[in-house]
Structures are given as C-alpha cells and as structure tokens.
C-alpha cells in the first residue's frame, strides 16, 4: 500500500467525519471554545440550583453540551448564539426529542439582541464580551435570580477582588455595587475544544434586589478618577489639572441647569480638597477603600453640587 504524503494525510484528516463535525465549526475570532468535559458541564449547571419552572438564558451555547443538561432541569432554555452554523448543530442535537419544543434559539450578537424574561443565566462566555455581558445582565429588568458565568481566570478574579487584593479595580467595585459575586470553580484549559490560551473560572453572580439607588454613570465617573492611580492618595489624583478642569466644568453646568448662583471666588481645587478632608479620604488610597467608602465620597461630592457625569 503506497504511503501518503504529509499533505495527503492532512487533507484526509480534514475530510474525516469527526473533523467535519467539529473542526471547521469553531471560530476563534468569536471566542469559540466548546466545553467538552461532561463533569465540569454538569457541575456548572448544578451550581445554578435550577427548579422545574425556570426559564434559563444561555449565552454562547455552542454545540449544546451545557444546553442539554440545563433542559434536563429547567422548563425552558433561550439560547443566544452568534454563529448560525453552531445554532444549526444545536437545533439538530435536540431535533425529534422532547427538548426541541423547550429550546428557543436566538441567532445574533448577544450585545445587540433584546433579551426576554429569564430566571437564571448560564454562560460559557466569549471572553471578548466579558465586561459588556456582565453589565448588560445587571441592567436587565425584570431582575433575574442568579447567573453562572465562565470567564478568563484573571477577569473572574477581578470581579471578586476585595480591597487590598492586587486585582482590585474599578470593575470590582462597579460590579459589587449591584451584585454579590462568588468564585465557584476553576476550569483548566484542557477541558475545552480547542483549548484556549488561558485558564478559566466560573463565578456566581446574584443581583442585589432592590438595586442601590445610585446613578451608575456618576459612580463610575468617580471610580475612573480614583482608580487612575489606585495606590496614590486620593488628594493626589484629584489635583491633576485635567481632572480639576472637568469637575469645574461639570459644576458650572450643574449650577446653570439648576439656577444656582456660583459663590464669588469659587476655587474648585480647594473645594475638592475640603470635601476629601471632611470625609477623611484625602490620604486614603483607592486600592484599600471598600464600597461604602466610595459611596460616602460620592454622596459628599454630590451634596456640594459636584458631579462626575
């Protein structure tokens, strides 16, 4: 029997049934890494504590390894898949089964589709939409019960980071304002096909209900300033010329919009430093401050008619 060349071997492998079924379907540009370990998949679904009446939103179902396990425990699954080829594979997987009528597939970009009602979200998240996905979920109304989300390990650790942790950042505080976040499990790269370049982690996110009455843009505007250099003292961050100019403009705009007279000799720098001193934050560092510290600081600024958005 004649030996095949390397090129012929490669072509034969590409034409093999398994390769046709799995290889070409995965698009790394879309962050497609299919979870292949059944034990991990079942573990993720179990962490959601589903009940028989739940409607579950699944983001990025791929070929359905999580989907079929969710359908075994929930009333209905709404799966949002960007790749029509993977959506077709998923549809084929449940065709002719009892699960078919309980699975609704939405083909499109998760960040652009209008989300329906759901009780729980489960996602093997495409890593490039990690942050936008979290905030889109937190803004969704009516509020859901919980979300079980797979992320790149470092991103997941930022979500759960506490004051003093190396990865504690603006993202940590913004998310923890609106939700309780817990680390659920680590997932090694070899549990995926094709394997990603980084390790993954699963987190459980529970929205605070009711949500705190805080303007998210105002809060994030403050965090942008204090986390620019999170290890510097607060007063140093606020002394930057660009920051002072922006806050003075915001102050003037607010006074004008609300028919308020500006004080004679108003000085934005001394006003800001005075506010920081009044709440004991002038010498504090963002890296060591908790959520209550930032809320207290925002309230003090807003009471002085200084805004961040």
């Amino acid at each position: 029997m004649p030996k095949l060349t390397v090129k012929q071997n490669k072509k034969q492998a590409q034409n093999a049934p398994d390769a046709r079924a799995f290889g070409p379907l995965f698009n790394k540009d879309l962050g497609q890494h299919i979870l292949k370990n059944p034990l991990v998949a079942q573990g993720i679904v179990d962490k959601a504590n589903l009940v028989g009446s739940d409607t579950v939103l699944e983001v990025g179902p791929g070929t359905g390894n999580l989907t079929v396990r969710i359908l075994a425990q929930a009333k209905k699954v709404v799966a949002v898949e960007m790749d029509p080829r993977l959506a077709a594979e998923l549809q084929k997987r449940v065709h002719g089964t009892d699960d078919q009528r309980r699975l609704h597939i939405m083909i499109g970009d998760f960040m652009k589709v209008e989300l329906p009602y759901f009780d729980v979200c489960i996602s093997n998240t495409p890593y490039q939409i990690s942050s936008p996905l979290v905030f889109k979920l937190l803004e969704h109304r009516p509020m859901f019960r919980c979300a079980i989300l797979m992320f790149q390990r470092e991103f997941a650790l930022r979500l759960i980071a506490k004051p003093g942790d190396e990865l504690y950042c603006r993202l940590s505080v913004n998310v923890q304002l609106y939700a309780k976040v817990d680390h659920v499990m680590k997932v090694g790269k070899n549990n995926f096909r094709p394997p990603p370049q980084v390790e993954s982690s699963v987190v459980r996110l529970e929205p605070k209900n009711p949500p705190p009455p805080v303007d998210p843009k105002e809060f994030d505007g403050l965090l942008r300033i204090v986390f620019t250099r999170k290890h510097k003292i607060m007063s140093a961050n606020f002394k930057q010329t660009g920051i002072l100019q922006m806050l003075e403009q915001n102050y003037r705009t607010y006074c004008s919009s609300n028919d308020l007279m500006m004080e004679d000799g108003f000085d934005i720098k001394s006003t800001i430093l005075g506010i920081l001193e009044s709440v004991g934050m002038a010498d504090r560092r963002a890296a060591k401050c908790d959520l209550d510290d930032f809320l207290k600081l925002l309230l003090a600024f807003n009471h002085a008619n200084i805004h961040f958005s």
Side-chain angles (χ1 to χ4, degrees), residues 175-194:
V175 172
Q176 291 169 31
L177 172 66
Y178 293 103
K180 179 177 181 287
V181 194
D182 296 299
H183 188 273
V184 170
M185 68 173 81
K186 296 179 180 179
V187 183
K189 63 180 77 173
N190 291 330
N191 291 290
F192 299 88
R193 184 176 56 238

Side-chain angles (χ1 to χ4, degrees), residues 16-248:
D18 197 46
R20 287 199 304 275
F22 296 108
L25 284 174
F26 301 146
N27 184 340
K28 288 187 178 181
D29 292 337
L30 295 179
Q32 291 174 352
H33 298 281
I34 306 301
L35 182 63
K36 67 179 184 179
N37 186 325
L39 292 177
V40 175
Q42 190 61 53
I44 289 172
V45 175
D46 290 345
K47 292 295 182 182
N49 297 324
L50 298 175
V51 296
S53 59
D54 279 339
T55 294
V56 178
L57 173 71
E58 186 184 7
V59 184
T63 55
N65 292 340
L66 282 171
T67 316
V68 293
R69 289 170 172 81
I70 300 169
L71 285 165
Q73 298 184 28
K75 179 182 179 181
K76 177 182 178 182
V77 173
V78 178
V80 182
E81 175 55 62
M82 190 168 184
D83 190 333
R85 298 171 303 166
L86 288 180
E89 286 292 314
L90 177 55
Q91 192 70 62
K92 192 186 302 181
R93 185 166 182 172
V94 299
H95 182 71
T97 70
D98 291 338
D99 291 340
Q100 183 176 358
R101 61 183 176 79
R102 296 187 295 114
L103 173 64
H104 175 58
I105 301 175
M106 300 174 66
I107 300 176
D109 183 343
F110 172 81
M111 295 309 302
K112 295 178 181 176
V113 300
E114 185 174 343
L115 300 180
Y117 170 87
F118 61 94
D119 300 291
V120 174
C121 176
I122 297 177
S123 173
N124 175 13
T125 312
Y127 292 157
Q128 65 267 37
I129 66 164
S130 295
S131 186
L133 176 139
V134 168
F135 289 105
K136 179 165 183 172
L137 289 177
L138 290 176
E139 290 168 4
H140 181 72
R141 297 294 182 272
M143 299 182 78
F144 56 95
R145 190 168 74 247
C146 77
I148 307 297
L149 309 171
M150 177 110 66
F151 293 119
Q152 179 179 333
R153 172 104 16 105
E154 183 174 310
F155 182 86
L157 293 179
R158 289 181 186 278
L159 290 180
I160 64 171
K162 301 300 180 188
D165 292 348
E166 182 182 350
L167 293 177
Y168 187 59
C169 62
R170 182 173 134 236
L171 173 70
S172 316
V173 185
N174 267 321
V175 172
Q176 291 169 31
L177 172 66
Y178 293 103
K180 179 177 181 287
V181 194
D182 296 299
H183 188 273
V184 170
M185 68 173 81
K186 296 179 180 179
V187 183
K189 63 180 77 173
N190 291 330
N191 291 290
F192 299 88
R193 184 176 56 238
Q197 294 183 340
V198 296
E199 303 294 328
S200 302
S201 279
V202 178
V203 302
R204 179 185 177 91
L205 185 147
E206 295 181 29
K208 295 178 181 177
N209 193 2
V214 179
D215 182 333
K217 291 183 179 178
E218 271 287 293
F219 191 65
D220 184 55
L222 169 63
L223 296 182
R224 280 178 182 274
I225 294 173
V226 299
F227 274 100
T228 300
R229 300 178 297 175
K230 67 178 183 179
H231 295 293
K232 295 284 187 181
I233 60 174
M234 295 273 190
S235 56
N237 281 332
F238 279 98
K239 286 177 182 176
Q240 296 177 76
T241 304
I243 300 296
L244 292 171
Q245 290 175 342
M246 178 195 73
L247 293 178
E248 181 168 2

